[in-house]
Amino acid sequence: MSDRLAVLPQYLLPKHALTAFAGTFATARLGGITTRVIHWFVGRYGVNMAEAANPDIGSYASFNEFFTRPLKPDVRPLAPAEFVCPVDGAISQFGVIERDQIFQAKGHRYSTAALVGGDRALAAQFQDGSFATLYLSPKDYHRIHMPCDGRLLRMIHVPGELFSVNPVTARGVPGLFARNERVVCVFESARGPFVLALVGATIVGSMATAWHGVVNPPRPGRLREWRYEDRQLRLRQGEEMGRFLLGSTVVLLFPKDTLRFNPEWSQERVVRQGEKMGEGAGQGTCPVAGTVP
């Protein structure tokens, strides 16, 4: 079956209604029902509870409390690198932004302007830059951390669809990451601006940031923006910046000549938060998207 045919049912599903229902259930405190669902989820997806700060499944009052569980101290040490991986997950794609085009999958690209909600001035800062798209599966740790030190400038909530973001859907839905609902966070670092975008998906009840709390819901159906330029809101490398209340994908954007990716990175490689993502550019070149080994 082709990927486009495989994703056809997603066009027909009431994705927003399903997501709203999932969000309601995930926050509910249902005692034994919640515990049984968590037990099932851990077994079904192979969640490693040995890494959790609290490995006792029965102690979580809600599914979201379990899903956003913190890890034990030091299980994700920071690599001695200028840029570290912000999440646990797998590499969907990474490489060079070709002019303003981000590689999604064979036959599919989308623009930086579309990703950030239509702000062409913001998008222009990443012309011919580099990007990484990291997929968080259900079993993964779902907090997002800073890849480097940064000062928060803006946060943009872009309304959109709620397609799944698994690899099959990425291959089958054109412009997926610029169509789905997303929270775009813009930072300034010692090497210039960078974007960390949290992309929603079917059943992703909400997304939250460390400085704002839950961003969605509400879902008013229009673009919302918060500006922080007049505040000194700084986050250190490795510090938590946000979380998915049910998982999804992170897309990072960096300007040209900023980042040289870790040579050990490759498409579909499993990655861990805190491992080396790359060093400052000038000591090599970024791989071209879609051609990484």
Side-chain angles (χ1 to χ4, degrees):
M1 181 186 296
S2 72
D3 293 324
R4 290 200 176 187
L5 188 58
V7 302
L8 181 59
Q10 292 192 47
Y11 285 90
L12 306 176
L13 285 172
K15 296 180 287 295
H16 282 270
L18 286 171
T19 300
F21 173 79
T24 299
F25 173 80
T27 57
R29 296 170 176 255
L30 302 174
I33 294 175
T34 294
T35 300
R36 286 193 293 274
V37 170
I38 295 172
H39 267 291
W40 172 85
F41 189 93
V42 168
R44 171 67 176 81
Y45 292 106
V47 178
N48 183 3
M49 292 301 293
E51 293 185 331
N54 176 14
D56 180 7
I57 291 173
S59 68
Y60 291 100
S62 71
F63 188 83
N64 267 348
E65 190 178 304
F66 152 74
F67 199 79
T68 59
R69 63 197 176 279
L71 300 181
K72 291 176 179 175
D74 303 323
V75 299
R76 294 291 184 272
L78 293 185
E82 192 166 352
F83 299 95
V84 298
C85 183
V87 295
D88 283 11
I91 300 169
S92 176
Q93 299 290 344
F94 73 109
V96 171
I97 300 168
E98 297 184 352
R99 298 182 299 278
D100 67 340
Q101 294 293 300
I102 301 171
F103 185 81
Q104 176 178 301
K106 185 177 180 180
H108 298 309
R109 295 177 183 271
Y110 60 97
S111 72
T112 51
L115 178 71
V116 302
D119 187 328
R120 295 191 177 279
L122 172 60
Q125 297 179 74
F126 305 101
Q127 185 94 353
D128 296 316
S130 53
F131 79 98
T133 305
L134 307 175
Y135 168 66
L136 288 71
S137 73
K139 70 175 181 177
D140 288 321
Y141 167 64
H142 278 83
R143 298 191 182 197
I144 304 136
H145 296 253
M146 292 291 287
C148 58
D149 292 355
R151 182 171 72 90
L152 180 67
L153 301 179
R154 303 166 63 185
M155 182 174 73
I156 308 163
H157 174 227
V158 185
E161 298 286 349
L162 288 169
F163 286 100
S164 169
V165 290
N166 63 33
V168 171
T169 312
R171 295 191 299 267
V173 176
L176 173 65
F177 303 116
R179 293 175 70 165
N180 271 15
E181 179 181 27
R182 53 209 178 275
V183 175
V184 178
C185 303
V186 185
F187 293 92
E188 181 71 26
S189 75
R191 283 188 170 267
F194 71 93
V195 159
L196 205 165
L198 287 60
V199 183
T202 312
I203 312 299
V204 176
S206 62
M207 292 172 275
T209 61
W211 56 88
H212 182 90
V214 173
V215 178
N216 61 316
R219 289 183 168 94
R222 57 177 172 78
L223 187 144
R224 296 181 292 158
E225 181 173 1
W226 295 262
R227 309 292 295 234
Y228 301 95
E229 291 96 337
D230 60 345
R231 297 171 57 183
Q232 293 298 310
L233 212 168
R234 300 179 184 275
L235 288 86
R236 305 289 295 176
Q237 183 183 60
E239 188 174 350
E240 182 186 341
M241 61 76 58
R243 61 186 69 175
F244 288 111
L245 283 71
L246 296 180
S248 190
T249 289
V250 165
V251 180
L252 297 110
L253 305 180
F254 295 94
K256 184 179 180 180
D257 298 328
T258 297
L259 170 65
R260 179 175 62 91
F261 282 109
N262 182 348
E264 295 183 2
W265 271 32
S266 60
Q267 186 182 349
E268 298 182 358
R269 181 182 186 270
V270 172
V271 291
R272 290 288 175 262
Q273 186 268 318
E275 72 172 55
K276 179 179 178 179
M277 181 168 70
E279 298 290 355
Q283 306 167 39
T285 57
C286 296
V288 176
T291 65
V292 293

